[in-house]
Amino acid sequence: MKKKLLATLLSVSMVMGIAACGSSTAESTTTGSDTTAAQTESTTSTESTDSSASADAAAIDTSEHVVINYMTTGDPPEAGSEKEANLNEMLDKLNAILTEKVNAELQIYYIPWTDYLSNYNLTLARMDGSVDLVGTASDWLDAWPNAKNGAFLELSEDMLKTYAPQTWASVPADHWDLCKYNGEIYLIPEDNYAQWTNHGWIYRLDWAKEAGLANGVHSWEDMTTYVKWCKENKTDLKYVWDSDGTQYSQMANGWIASHTNFVPIDGICSGALWGGTKDDLYTITVPAMTETESLVEYAKLMKEWAEAGIWPTDVLNNTSGSNRDEFRVGDVAVEQHHTQTWTDLCSATPANTIFQDDPEAEVGFFYWGEETQNVVALSITHGAMAVSAGSANPERALMVYDLLRNDPECYKLFCYGIEGKSWELDSNGLRTTPASYNSETENINGMTNYWWGRNDDLEIKDATRNWDAIDKLYAEYDKIKIDYPYGQFVPEVDSIQGKIDNCNEQYTNYMKQISFGLYNGSAEDIVAEMQAALKTAGVDDVTAELQAQFDALYK
């Protein structure tokens, strides 16, 4: 019997927080929302390619049975384990369908999380035919460098129309444009799946109302009112926020998003120092250098929070804290993370005992950028599928992907598992789990790691989620969002990498002090010191080089 699972035998330890959210529990709780009007319009226009593509598809020779190897990041189930057995049971059912429809079967090739990026790129560089479909991303899995280096196959329009016709018809023309390098398509975007990884403050809405914020928290000023009220009135809390001290950069970015129209470029450095603005997307700016008055205000406010005792005094050394779990049980009043995490924390799941302990409990979300309506949607190539240039069966690989993305039976098997065993529908048509379900061994979504072609048209809403609140917030986002504008930008940084690293190091050192109010002297002094350090580190040289590359690409 053919082995259903392929795994690179690398060391197995998970690196957290890389897939933005691809690896988070909340990531699997999708919206099941309808396709947007823009997508629907484009689908109509692209369906003009149908008749010739259908004729070509009917003539495809699938007489030879082939194995398609799908490469994804993630740790494989332990060999011989119940978890592996459950995955193989699902793959048996899936492969029976794939065999019937396109005479192919799917195997999973895992790149474990330990040193994942190096091993991912090395596997692609071998070009030995060991992988066919490749899960990739422009912002965390080197999609464009791999395309540039020849690791991915060029996907012509005729090839996509013929072998992945449903996908071709559903992706708008402007989205295909964002998947091109040097005029050729290399990626298939995950562009019909609602996920939001914009950060903000997660808080107790019921407590905010007690604090006099009848409509909840909608600004940093409201948040200050809330945290100070909690400190004074919720005296049984462990802390208002039991921060582990790692969020300094996210907080600073959140302040900037809330007070400017800055749009950062992903992937230059962890501090997100460089970007454009909504008014002028392709002129590089550095808010850390230009928004002096605002940053001084931020430094003063964070000193105020620190002096009020909002977080532990040893916050930067607080490595043992588990704030999210503490929030779930009501021991803290604040969590800082992204929207997908809030969709979990605002829902009455068994882990969130605050709802069991207090029927009046509510969890709100103040998203950064709310005051300025500065919200940028996740890049559609944050998750994307590519075909290895070394694939022996690229056409059949596309046919398999087209089924995984668009065929309801294949999609549900691959994303949720076997109905009745890993999931079932309740009386409202929502997805729930059987009483016998064991999340440790039967969570198929956590084994297939399919973050490269999820489709809201086929998603089934998770019954455990608070959809009234979630849908309301997502609708608000949809009204104000802009698409991520830099998806095709592949920065050439070899000549400036040292200066980027130096700038990021200086920014990190100063933002640790500023964001947690741990600096000496005045707010004006610490901001001035940071800006001087950035200048010495070469921030102007990096800005000039990035601007030249922007001009070449966009102007």
Side-chain angles (χ1 to χ4, degrees):
M1 179 178 177
K2 288 186 177 180
K3 188 174 179 64
K4 295 292 188 291
L5 245 3
L6 295 175
T8 19
L9 299 179
L10 308 170
S11 56
V12 180
S13 78
M14 183 116 175
V15 175
M16 299 303 293
I18 18 184
C21 317
S23 56
S24 75
T25 300
E27 185 83 18
S28 65
T29 64
T30 53
T31 65
S33 61
D34 291 334
T35 312
T36 63
Q39 288 169 319
T40 303
E41 269 179 38
S42 178
T43 297
T44 302
S45 65
T46 55
E47 283 176 350
S48 61
T49 65
D50 53 2
S51 57
S52 60
S54 297
D56 291 342
I60 295 170
D61 180 6
T62 59
S63 58
E64 179 186 358
H65 185 79
V66 300
V67 175
I68 299 301
N69 292 307
Y70 151 63
M71 188 171 93
T72 189
T73 47
D75 298 329
E78 183 179 350
S81 66
E82 183 181 355
K83 190 173 183 179
E84 184 190 54
N86 287 326
L87 177 58
N88 284 342
E89 183 181 3
M90 181 280 293
L91 286 173
D92 283 339
K93 290 184 177 293
L94 175 67
N95 285 331
I97 300 169
L98 295 179
T99 296
E100 177 186 355
K101 291 180 180 288
V102 296
N103 200 19
E105 65 180 275
L106 188 75
Q107 296 184 356
I108 303 178
Y109 189 110
Y110 289 95
I111 301 293
W113 287 115
T114 299
D115 202 17
Y116 73 98
L117 188 56
S118 294
N119 289 305
Y120 174 92
N121 289 332
L122 285 171
T123 302
L124 288 175
R126 285 201 298 266
M127 301 281 285
D128 58 0
S130 57
V131 296
D132 301 287
L133 290 171
V134 180
T136 191
S138 59
D139 50 356
W140 65 280
L141 275 177
D142 285 355
W144 292 127
N146 278 308
K148 180 181 177 182
N149 293 334
F152 295 153
L153 187 70
E154 295 178 6
L155 303 174
S156 70
E157 291 188 9
D158 285 343
M159 189 178 186
L160 289 163
K161 292 173 186 177
T162 301
Y163 300 107
Q166 294 183 81
T167 301
W168 171 259
S170 68
V171 174
D174 58 335
H175 286 187
W176 285 121
D177 287 341
L178 293 174
C179 296
K180 292 179 179 179
Y181 178 74
N182 282 346
E184 301 293 340
I185 297 171
Y186 285 93
L187 309 178
I188 305 175
E190 185 179 69
D191 66 335
N192 190 33
Y193 176 74
Q195 58 177 327
W196 289 95
T197 58
N198 56 313
H199 280 240
W201 296 116
I202 301 168
Y203 66 94
R204 286 287 296 270
L205 178 57
D206 52 321
W207 292 354
K209 291 175 180 177
E210 289 183 51
L213 300 167
N215 296 317
V217 173
H218 297 285
S219 67
W220 284 76
E221 290 76 13
D222 288 346
M223 196 66 193
T224 300
T225 299
Y226 170 75
V227 295
K228 287 186 174 181
W229 182 90
C230 288
K231 178 65 176 178
E232 295 169 3
N233 294 276
K234 297 293 180 180
T235 55
D236 56 342
L237 294 175
K238 180 178 180 180
Y239 291 102
V240 176
W241 181 27
D242 190 16
S243 173
D244 64 6
T246 62
Q247 298 93 345
Y248 48 87
S249 185
Q250 282 289 357
M251 292 164 66
N253 295 343
W255 176 269
I256 290 167
S258 295
H259 294 85
T260 72
N261 59 3
F262 180 64
V263 180
I265 305 167
D266 291 340
I268 302 295
C269 68
S270 61
L273 284 165
W274 290 275
T277 64
K278 288 170 67 177
D279 299 328
D280 189 0
L281 287 169
Y282 304 116
T283 297
I284 300 286
T285 187
V286 184
M289 300 298 291
T290 61
E291 299 296 326
T292 303
E293 290 185 11
S294 182
L295 288 173
V296 167
E297 183 184 351
Y298 173 62
K300 289 179 178 177
L301 186 63
M302 293 301 97
K303 174 75 82 172
E304 191 178 320
W305 285 25
E307 291 175 346
I310 303 307
W311 44 67
T313 55
D314 64 341
V315 59
L316 295 179
N317 298 314
N318 182 29
T319 58
S320 61
S322 183
N323 190 82
R324 190 169 308 164
D325 289 337
E326 292 165 352
F327 187 89
R328 293 181 190 278
V329 300
D331 287 345
V332 298
V334 172
E335 168 67 339
Q336 187 284 115
H337 212 248
H338 53 60
T339 302
Q340 294 291 122
T341 300
W342 167 77
T343 65
D344 172 54
L345 294 177
C346 76
S347 303
T349 67
N352 296 329
T353 60
I354 54 174
F355 300 106
Q356 301 165 29
D357 298 337
D358 183 359
E360 302 300 317
E362 296 179 88
V363 175
F365 188 58
F366 162 50
Y367 60 91
W368 293 333
E370 182 172 353
E371 301 102 311
T372 50
Q373 297 198 327
N374 184 8
V375 175
V376 181
L378 192 65
S379 169
I380 61 172
T381 53
H382 171 70
M385 192 68 83
V387 177
S388 169
S391 172
N393 299 289
E395 297 87 358
R396 206 80 64 88
L398 286 173
M399 295 173 79
V400 167
Y401 176 75
D402 208 38
L403 289 170
L404 294 178
R405 178 176 176 133
N406 302 290
D407 181 88
E409 190 174 9
C410 293
Y411 187 89
K412 292 170 188 175
L413 276 169
F414 204 56
C415 292
Y416 306 139
I418 298 171
E419 186 174 4
K421 180 175 182 178
S422 292
W423 66 281
E424 58 189 13
L425 294 178
D426 67 12
S427 58
N428 296 313
L430 299 176
R431 178 167 50 89
T432 186
T433 54
S436 61
Y437 176 77
N438 181 346
S439 63
E440 295 297 318
T441 62
E442 296 180 72
N443 178 14
I444 293 298
N445 177 269
M447 290 185 264
T448 58
N449 298 346
Y450 184 54
W451 306 318
W452 336 101
R454 289 166 295 184
N455 183 353
D456 276 342
D457 293 340
L458 299 179
E459 284 287 315
I460 307 171
K461 287 185 174 181
D462 185 337
T464 67
R465 293 304 184 256
N466 181 356
W467 290 108
D468 287 343
I470 296 167
D471 287 343
K472 180 180 178 181
L473 182 61
Y474 281 14
E476 184 175 341
Y477 285 166
D478 283 337
K479 290 178 181 177
I480 65 174
K481 71 179 181 182
I482 66 167
D483 290 335
Y484 178 70
Y486 309 127
Q488 290 176 293
F489 179 53
V490 187
E492 301 286 350
V493 296
D494 289 350
S495 65
I496 52 172
Q497 188 62 61
K499 292 180 179 180
I500 291 173
D501 293 342
N502 290 340
C503 290
N504 195 58
E505 181 180 5
Q506 293 298 333
Y507 188 68
T508 294
N509 290 339
Y510 278 97
M511 272 307 161
K512 285 180 179 179
Q513 302 172 60
I514 291 171
S515 290
F516 288 106
L518 298 177
Y519 56 88
N520 296 317
S522 71
E524 288 83 359
D525 289 343
I526 194 68
V527 170
E529 285 181 30
M530 178 187 71
Q531 291 175 337
L534 286 171
K535 199 165 188 65
T536 300
V539 67
D540 293 337
D541 293 339
V542 175
T543 302
E545 176 58 30
L546 292 176
Q547 186 63 64
Q549 294 181 30
F550 257 35
D551 290 348
L553 179 63
Y554 295 118
K555 295 186 177 181

